[in-house]
Amino acid sequence: MSNWCMLTLVGTDRPGIVAAIAQALFQGGANLGETSMARLGGNFTVMMMVQHEGDTEALRSLVEPVAASLGLRLHLDPIEAHLHQHRIPDVRISVFGADRAGIVAQVTTALARVGFNILDLQSDVGGSKSTPFYVLHIEGQADDGVEAIEQALAPLRDSGVEVEVQSIETMIG
Amino acid sequence: MAVLEILTYPDERLKQESVPVADFDDDLRARVAALEETRLAGPGAVGIAAPQVGWFERVVIVDVSKLKKPVPNHGYLVLVNPEITAWEGFAVGREGCLSVPDFTGNVIRAEAIRLEARDPWGQALEFQMQGFEARAVQHEMDHLDGLLFLDRLVSRRNDLFRRKNHQ
């Protein structure tokens, strides 16, 4: 069981999708690794590391009927994957402000310039249709420390969005 | 002295409640030394509890004095029969554990605690602790009651993090 695939599903959200897909995979002898599901704009989205003895097409034949019956689009990529490879983030960045185009691009470009490695990113739009606000949370590794991140993001603060940079001290005990 | 084997989850023994230390003797101090040697052999652990090495008595070691970014601390602490007598505030922080390899998660702990314990000679100790050190002590003391940080995980979503005030 060494073949890993990244399985991606997208479609209109409804209750029971994860159960139906997970059951189909389990019954077909596949094994799940790390997974991440999110509801984005009313859409169901999930990415699953799936381990399967057969090739990608064998896996597709397992999932395709269930996905189709739920109205989901399926995507499969063979991947080189390993479990037990977690990296521990040492910086958390929170950004929020009145929604406008370009917040994610500006923040992540500034972070990339100082070599910041994003390990987790989530963003959301709240507020009302007339006055939406944007919230962005990022966790990752900063080789050059929090100060470099602060400096890189300072111009964003001047442009009217709130930026909070916190170091994460993971307590190992 | 040898580095002791660390029990790792899902070893059932980690759920066992530990009993108070009755004898403050050379055997206790020798066991504490082995426990500390085991802590230092681990990857950057700031604490260790006796049950993590299969010793089910109420003993923990905490030392947050060697962090890259210094935090308020009381140095190297051996806490025998520790009791938390007061809690104040709460904070979310990321934790990992020698007994839970390759996994870290967010846990809510009291921000400040008052702590009573004995040292390995039976002398009474009392501390007022805060922040990272208080978190480490609470994490280690959980082991004495058969709890891991996995028992206290909160969502990985970030909405519980409190905003610091800018000057």
Side-chain angles (χ1 to χ4, degrees):
Chain A
M1 270 252 248
S2 56
N3 300 331
W4 282 101
C5 239
M6 191 65 78
L7 181 159
T8 310
L9 289 164
V10 179
T12 305
D13 193 24
R14 58 193 265 188
I17 295 175
V18 178
I21 297 297
Q23 271 298 342
L25 291 167
F26 175 57
Q27 309 269 335
N31 179 40
L32 290 183
E34 297 163 18
T35 71
S36 179
M37 184 220 128
R39 187 182 146 94
L40 304 177
N43 280 269
F44 172 90
T45 67
V46 72
M47 280 175 288
M48 296 173 149
M49 280 174 68
V50 182
Q51 200 177 27
H52 189 240
E53 273 181 37
D55 59 11
T56 310
E57 289 317 304
L59 187 59
R60 185 184 302 283
S61 65
L62 211 60
V63 190
E64 189 99 76
V66 188
S69 73
L70 293 163
L72 300 169
R73 288 185 299 284
L74 168 69
H75 188 81
L76 285 169
D77 287 303
I79 51 167
E80 180 66 28
H82 304 279
L83 297 174
H84 314 294
Q85 306 268 318
H86 289 114
R87 292 184 177 191
I88 300 179
D90 55 17
V91 173
R92 174 183 307 115
I93 299 152
S94 303
V95 178
F96 65 94
D99 191 21
R100 60 170 171 77
I103 294 176
V104 176
Q106 287 163 3
V107 170
T108 54
T109 300
L111 292 175
R113 269 195 208 116
V114 291
F116 184 81
N117 185 10
I118 296 175
L119 298 173
D120 192 84
L121 183 152
Q122 292 160 13
S123 68
D124 211 342
V125 181
S128 63
K129 280 180 182 165
S130 57
T131 53
F133 62 85
Y134 205 79
V135 181
L136 171 63
H137 287 294
I138 294 174
E139 288 186 356
Q141 289 176 321
D143 291 344
D144 298 334
V146 173
E147 294 71 24
I149 303 298
E150 282 278 9
Q151 280 179 15
L153 296 178
L156 266 293
R157 214 170 255 149
D158 298 337
S159 78
V161 291
E162 305 288 332
V163 179
E164 175 78 11
V165 181
Q166 284 179 289
S167 66
I168 306 173
E169 296 292 341
T170 299
M171 199 290 296
I172 309 287
Chain B
M1 211 122 26
V3 171
L4 305 169
E5 187 195 345
I6 304 253
L7 304 184
T8 56
Y9 183 79
D11 193 312
E12 282 293 316
R13 287 173 289 176
L14 288 167
K15 290 187 179 173
Q16 190 171 324
E17 196 173 334
S18 293
V19 299
V21 169
D23 299 320
F24 294 80
D25 53 14
D26 286 346
D27 178 55
L28 171 68
R29 291 182 284 274
R31 284 170 157 238
V32 165
L35 188 64
E36 171 66 354
E37 196 178 331
T38 306
R39 177 183 77 87
L40 293 173
V46 296
I48 191 167
Q52 289 182 276
V53 296
W55 169 23
F56 298 100
E57 290 190 304
R58 303 186 78 84
V59 177
V60 307
I61 295 173
V62 168
D63 184 357
V64 301
S65 67
K66 311 258 186 324
L67 299 182
K68 266 187 281 174
K69 277 192 201 150
V71 294
N73 71 84
H74 295 86
Y76 168 69
L77 297 174
V78 179
L79 305 168
V80 183
N81 300 341
E83 298 283 348
I84 295 173
T85 57
W87 291 261
E88 202 187 320
F90 74 87
V92 179
R94 198 174 190 106
E95 297 184 15
C97 185
L98 295 173
S99 295
V100 187
D102 191 48
F103 191 83
T104 58
N106 292 324
V107 179
I108 298 174
R109 303 282 186 188
E111 208 153 36
I113 56 171
R114 180 165 284 281
L115 177 73
E116 291 177 10
R118 299 273 164 182
D119 75 8
W121 288 265
Q123 295 297 308
L125 303 171
E126 195 172 350
F127 301 100
Q128 179 70 38
M129 295 181 168
Q130 55 168 309
F132 201 77
E133 187 177 49
R135 171 172 298 276
V137 166
Q138 291 170 80
H139 174 113
E140 300 312 334
M141 284 182 62
D142 263 357
H143 283 295
L144 306 180
D145 294 322
L147 293 172
L148 298 172
F149 80 94
L150 296 174
D151 292 297
R152 299 191 188 274
L153 281 180
V154 295
S155 164
R156 77 191 184 103
R157 304 275 165 182
N158 299 282
D159 48 8
L160 272 169
F161 290 96
R162 283 197 288 179
R163 188 171 159 74
K164 282 184 291 186
N165 290 321
H166 288 292
Q167 289 80 8

